[in-house]
Amino acid sequence: MRCMSTIPCVQPLTWTKGHTGNSTLRVTKSCRPTRKMDFPLGATASTVNLPETVLSWDELKGIAASTETGKKIAEEEKLRSQGEGSPHVTAKLRLFGASEDDVRVTLYRDHAGWCPYCQKVWMMLEEKKVPYRIERINMRSYGEKPAWFLKKVPSGLLPVLELDGKIITESLVIMQIIEQTFPDIPMIPEEHFDRANTLLRLERQLFSDWCGLVFRPSGPGPFGGGARKQFEETFDKVNAALGELPGPWFLGGDTPSIVDLQYVSHVERMNASCLYWKGLQLRSTERWANIERWFAAFEERPSYVATKSDYYTHVMDIPPQYGPGYSDSSDEVKEAQLKIDGHATWRLPLSLSSSDAEPLPDSMNPGDEAARHEAAYKLISNYDAVVKFCCRGMGERGAKQFGAPLADPTAVPNLNYKEKVDKLLRTTVLLLLDGSAGVSTGETSEEGKDVASCLAYLRDRIGVPRDMSYPAAMTLRAHLNYVIDAI
């Protein structure tokens, strides 16, 4: 179950009993795709001032480490290194109190945390508390896959599970085998077996209707003028199914089932893509209240929070995986794109709780200060690589290009800008730490456009969850714009 063509194929999914199928902030070298934006994004009067004194990276690191957020992140990193703590995109080992000698599973998933098929397997291992190791591999459209992985899995496709040395591919097959091998926390109740299969077929119908709506041009015919109506009617059925049993989940109970995991990774992407390309808001609506309740329940679960992306990241990572989205020309689409692209939202003062485009539930909103301090901590932790990465904004394209726009892992940075970029990033971190940035109202001067392009190159490539949480990413993007305005 993965997409290799412009329009993903739709395969029927059936859960079978007794299945034993055998199937065989760190900014990295591979930058994420984005729609290139003009860097000012702002108004007309240059009124933004930057601090006169800029601290060293070591001084900034000390300040960041002393904040409550810094202390919390440091403690989480310590636990993570031991295979414990909360789930996180950078974790390499998850033990749940077991010994490393007890680990039978290795999950091979995408490096950035953007693959929906990897996401559902990843969440299942977390929900079932199965001890596992993690190996992160590039998706094909973002860079080369390592030779050792291709030797192990010639197709190169993700996700891959290695169980007791046996290679298993295809996400639903993997999920079935995990359920059968580790039954202590069941995720497919026996009494709802038939219902589960019915809902899995409905999920494939929803997936097909989503493809018809977003990844084909609007117009007459079943994939044009009627595509929105078809999608909405199927979404109504999904919403109704979520209201048939007590609780927020498809199969009832207090915890999500495999059916919930099968749905959530693609519905999460539908939230972003339907709004961005079709002006169709799926969240926070009375019509789909059960789906909203379902998402609210997921947003309380660490397994989902750790794997969840934001709308901007999704509208940039969806086309390399699924093909281009086709925009309607409505005012709703124009407004949504202004907000999701950041033209109307990546400005200071920033309202994290605003639900104009993408809702941020209270359970995922740490507050302005914590978001600022997380962004600062993450940038500091890899500052040397980030500085060089920014310099790609005035550098040369790589010798080999990949499918994702501007995913250019072999790009050559122009290190003539390193000193200026370094100083401006330290300035950005200082503003994040002390909260002294005002209102973004500036326009970049001609003499500052080159170095501003370097900062914009980073701003447009901050990905969730790869680099940081959504609140921290929004905050860092807005502060980079503030500094861009000032220069």
Side-chain angles (χ1 to χ4, degrees):
M1 267 182 33
R2 47 178 70 76
C3 310
M4 300 301 296
S5 59
T6 302
I7 300 299
C9 60
V10 180
Q11 301 175 356
L13 300 183
T14 303
W15 190 269
T16 57
K17 295 183 180 180
H19 191 289
T20 57
N22 177 18
S23 312
T24 238
L25 139 86
R26 298 197 75 83
V27 178
T28 66
K29 292 181 179 179
S30 178
C31 54
R32 67 184 289 277
T34 181
R35 169 175 299 174
K36 192 171 180 66
M37 298 189 287
D38 293 335
F39 43 76
L41 287 180
T44 55
S46 183
T47 59
V48 176
N49 295 311
L50 299 181
E52 294 183 4
T53 302
V54 181
L55 302 180
S56 69
W57 285 111
D58 283 342
E59 290 171 319
L60 293 169
K61 184 177 182 179
I63 296 172
S66 68
T67 66
E68 289 303 311
T69 297
K71 293 174 184 177
K72 180 180 178 181
I73 295 175
E75 179 61 26
E76 290 172 349
E77 290 175 339
K78 180 180 178 181
L79 289 171
R80 199 175 306 140
S81 69
Q82 300 165 354
E84 301 296 346
S86 299
H88 194 270
V89 69
T90 63
K92 296 180 179 180
L93 175 68
R94 300 289 288 151
L95 291 177
F96 306 105
S99 164
E100 271 200 72
D101 294 336
D102 297 327
V103 178
R104 301 168 57 192
V105 170
T106 298
L107 172 65
Y108 299 86
R109 64 165 178 81
D110 68 303
H111 195 281
W114 298 333
C115 169
Y117 305 103
C118 296
Q119 182 183 15
K120 60 191 67 176
V121 174
W122 180 8
M123 288 180 63
M124 185 175 184
L125 291 168
E126 288 291 330
E127 290 289 340
K128 290 177 73 68
K129 302 187 185 305
V130 176
Y132 67 106
R133 295 184 177 86
I134 303 96
E135 292 284 353
R136 289 179 286 170
I137 308 294
N138 272 331
M139 287 188 284
R140 184 168 283 125
S141 54
Y142 293 89
E144 299 281 6
K145 293 181 183 290
W148 65 264
F149 178 73
L150 292 175
K151 185 176 181 180
K152 185 183 290 282
V153 185
S155 70
L157 297 178
L158 298 170
V160 172
L161 196 81
E162 188 169 358
L163 172 62
D164 298 331
K166 178 181 176 182
I167 295 295
I168 308 160
T169 63
E170 300 296 337
S171 59
L172 193 63
V173 175
I174 290 171
M175 293 165 79
Q176 292 182 41
I177 292 176
I178 292 173
E179 177 71 358
Q180 293 152 15
T181 307
F182 304 97
D184 289 351
I185 301 178
M187 295 192 72
I188 186 79
E190 183 71 21
E191 66 271 22
H192 293 311
F193 191 85
D194 291 339
R195 176 178 173 82
N197 276 326
T198 299
L199 289 168
L200 288 173
R201 289 191 292 271
L202 179 61
E203 191 273 339
R204 288 293 82 188
Q205 181 62 53
L206 180 66
F207 182 85
S208 176
D209 294 340
W210 173 53
C211 292
L213 174 64
V214 173
F215 304 113
R216 293 184 176 93
S218 298
F223 296 114
R228 178 163 176 156
K229 180 175 182 292
Q230 178 64 49
F231 174 83
E232 291 185 4
E233 288 177 353
T234 304
F235 212 59
D236 286 338
K237 294 177 182 178
V238 174
N239 184 73
L242 279 166
E244 290 172 352
L245 296 176
W249 310 112
F250 278 105
L251 302 185
D254 298 325
T255 58
S257 69
I258 288 172
V259 174
D260 297 288
L261 302 188
Q262 179 66 20
Y263 272 84
V264 73
S265 60
H266 276 125
V267 179
E268 177 185 319
R269 286 151 179 82
M270 292 173 195
N271 291 335
S273 58
C274 288
L275 181 60
Y276 187 82
W277 283 296
K278 301 299 173 182
L280 177 60
Q281 177 65 271
L282 304 182
R283 292 293 307 264
S284 307
T285 68
E286 184 177 349
R287 178 176 180 177
W288 297 310
N290 291 332
I291 292 174
E292 183 63 27
R293 181 182 63 154
W294 179 68
F295 265 112
F298 262 122
E299 288 161 347
E300 296 278 354
R301 304 193 73 82
S303 68
Y304 180 67
V305 172
T307 65
K308 184 182 188 298
S309 194
D310 69 334
Y311 285 10
Y312 175 75
T313 300
H314 275 323
V315 300
M316 298 305 164
D317 70 37
I318 283 174
Q321 300 178 64
Y322 293 87
Y326 289 89
S327 293
D328 287 352
S329 58
S330 66
D331 290 340
E332 290 83 1
V333 167
K334 294 174 183 176
E335 181 181 0
Q337 292 186 353
L338 279 173
K339 291 177 179 177
I340 294 172
D341 277 341
H343 292 277
T345 50
W346 298 353
R347 315 299 304 174
L348 295 176
L350 189 67
S351 176
L352 290 177
S353 60
S354 172
S355 60
D356 289 345
E358 178 174 0
L360 179 65
D362 291 342
S363 60
M364 294 181 63
N365 186 354
D368 174 72
E369 181 178 84
R372 285 190 288 103
H373 291 175
E374 179 190 344
Y377 189 100
K378 294 290 186 177
L379 201 158
I380 292 168
S381 67
N382 200 34
Y383 70 85
D384 190 55
V386 176
V387 170
K388 294 174 183 175
F389 182 84
C390 286
C391 292
R392 291 182 181 184
M394 289 302 295
E396 299 177 6
R397 286 170 61 85
K400 182 174 182 179
Q401 296 297 303
F402 295 87
L406 298 185
D408 196 359
T410 61
V412 180
N414 187 339
L415 297 181
N416 291 326
Y417 290 90
K418 184 178 178 181
E419 184 176 345
K420 290 181 179 180
V421 168
D422 184 280
K423 182 177 181 180
L424 289 173
L425 287 181
R426 285 185 284 123
T427 300
T428 304
V429 169
L430 182 60
L431 294 171
L432 287 165
L433 289 171
D434 68 15
S436 63
V439 178
S440 301
T441 56
E443 184 178 69
T444 305
S445 66
E446 284 298 321
E447 65 184 35
K449 283 191 173 182
D450 286 354
V451 70
S453 293
C454 295
L455 297 187
Y457 190 88
L458 171 64
R459 177 200 65 199
D460 296 347
R461 289 161 177 79
I462 299 166
V464 178
R466 180 194 65 188
D467 300 318
M468 57 192 70
S469 70
Y470 167 53
M474 283 288 289
T475 301
L476 179 51
R477 293 164 184 159
H479 278 76
L480 286 169
N481 273 336
Y482 182 85
V483 174
I484 285 170
D485 287 346
I487 58 177

